[in-house]
Structures are given as C-alpha cells and as structure tokens.
Amino acid sequence: VRTARFPDSLAKLFALLRACDELEVDVAPARICQDVTIVPLFSWYNAEFDKRSRPDPNHGHDSQCVWPLDAQTQLWKWLLKLNEVHLRPPNQDTVLSCSHFLPLATLPFDSSGKAAQAMGCEEIEDQLRLAKSAAHVYGHSTIRSAQVHGGICFVNHALNLPSEEQAQPDGPLLLFDGMKGVVAGK
C-alpha cells in the first residue's frame, strides 16, 4: 500500500530496518555466544519454486505489496544479493541461519492451488550452504517439521492458526544446546 511516507514496500523495509537499528534490535548476522553465530537471510519467493504449475503473474499472493522492481523475476534476486556480504563467516563458529521462505521444495508445505508459487526460493539453500549453516529455521509454511538434508537440519516450528487441525506445540523448540550442538530434528 502506497503512502506519502512509504511510496513502496522497499521504502517500508528500509524504514523498518532503521527503526530496528534505533532500538538496537539486531537484524544482521551476529555472534550470540562463544562459537555460535546467527545469520538471518533476506528472502522472497521465486514462483519457479512450484514445480507443478507455470508461474502466474496475475495471481495476487501479496496484493498489498508495492515493489519498485518486478516481484516475479527480480525481487528475490535483489534481496538475496543483500545477503552476499554475510555468507562467509570469518571464524569457525556453528552457524544457525534463518529465512522467512522455504529453501527446499522437498520440505513440507501446503501445495494446494497456486500457494506453492509463493512458498519458497531454492536459491536460499545455496546461500545457507555458503554460510556453512548447521541448522536453518524457515517460516511461511504452517507444517511443523525438522528434517536433515545434506547435513543441515531444516526446522519450521509453526505455531499455526487455531482453525488448523495440527495440535499446538507445547512451547518453544530447542534448536541448539551449548553442550550437544544442533538438537532439533535428532
């Protein structure tokens, strides 16, 4: 939605990042304790994530977003480009990465209708592997899962909507234990 203060969604994103900076909320990679670094990844979906149907530019997945570049072919590439400076951690820390969108089409998600076209971006996986991530937490899917693929634990601990059939989780999921390392999915 356009406003005088936010002419497009990128202006809104940058304002949000400035507000986080002013409030001292970390949104960039950071070492959170000895030998552990969190690497958040900017991302957007790539309609080619859906292997069953052709991308539909008329399907309004995010009709409230107003992008100054093509959301189907350029936005996801531009956001991933923002991550490149952070993909080679300078130390041997255990890296825990996260993104909003799914990094693998083999992870569980609701694939009904055209939903898969706005579900993920497989190029996120390339970046988390460059960052040497031991575990990756992703969102956007309402299906809880912890699976290991290629040595990396992929975790979604969705809290779900009350109308959904899946039982509510008991609480937060332990992803990393300082003595045992990555524990989710094991």
Side-chain angles (χ1 to χ4, degrees), residues 4 6-7 9-11 29 32 35 44 47 51 64 66 69 86 89 92 112 116 133 138 146 150 161 164 166 168:
F6 304 115
S9 297
L10 283 184
I32 58 166
D35 301 328
W44 196 254
K51 307 293 187 231
Q64 298 299 308
V66 177
L69 54 156
H86 304 294
Q92 297 299 313
S112 60
S133 184
Y138 63 93
L161 301 171
E164 295 181 11
Q166 194 170 225
Q168 292 294 314

Side-chain angles (χ1 to χ4, degrees), residues 21-125:
D21 191 46
E22 290 167 9
L23 296 169
E24 298 182 6
V25 174
D26 289 329
V27 294
R31 194 172 217 197
I32 58 166
C33 64
Q34 183 177 336
D35 301 328
V36 180
T37 297
I38 300 289
V39 178
L41 298 172
F42 287 106
S43 62
W44 196 254
Y45 60 82
N46 175 352
E48 293 176 10
F49 187 81
D50 180 4
K51 307 293 187 231
R52 296 182 312 156
S53 64
R54 298 180 64 204
D56 182 357
N58 298 316
H59 194 272
H61 297 290
D62 296 291
S63 60
Q64 298 299 308
C65 294
V66 177
W67 300 108
L69 54 156
D70 185 283
Q72 292 284 323
T73 61
Q74 297 175 330
L75 181 60
W76 63 272
K77 293 176 187 176
W78 188 85
L79 286 167
L80 291 180
K81 192 83 171 154
L82 295 177
N83 300 328
E84 288 180 1
V85 69
H86 304 294
L87 296 180
R88 300 203 192 277
N91 48 46
Q92 297 299 313
D93 283 5
T94 297
V95 173
L96 307 174
S97 58
C98 58
S99 65
H100 177 73
F101 292 96
L102 281 75
L104 295 171
T106 55
L107 295 169
F109 62 91
D110 176 7
S111 61
S112 60
K114 303 250 182 201
Q117 291 185 14
M119 196 55 62
C121 177
E122 290 178 306
E123 288 76 7
I124 298 168
E125 180 192 12

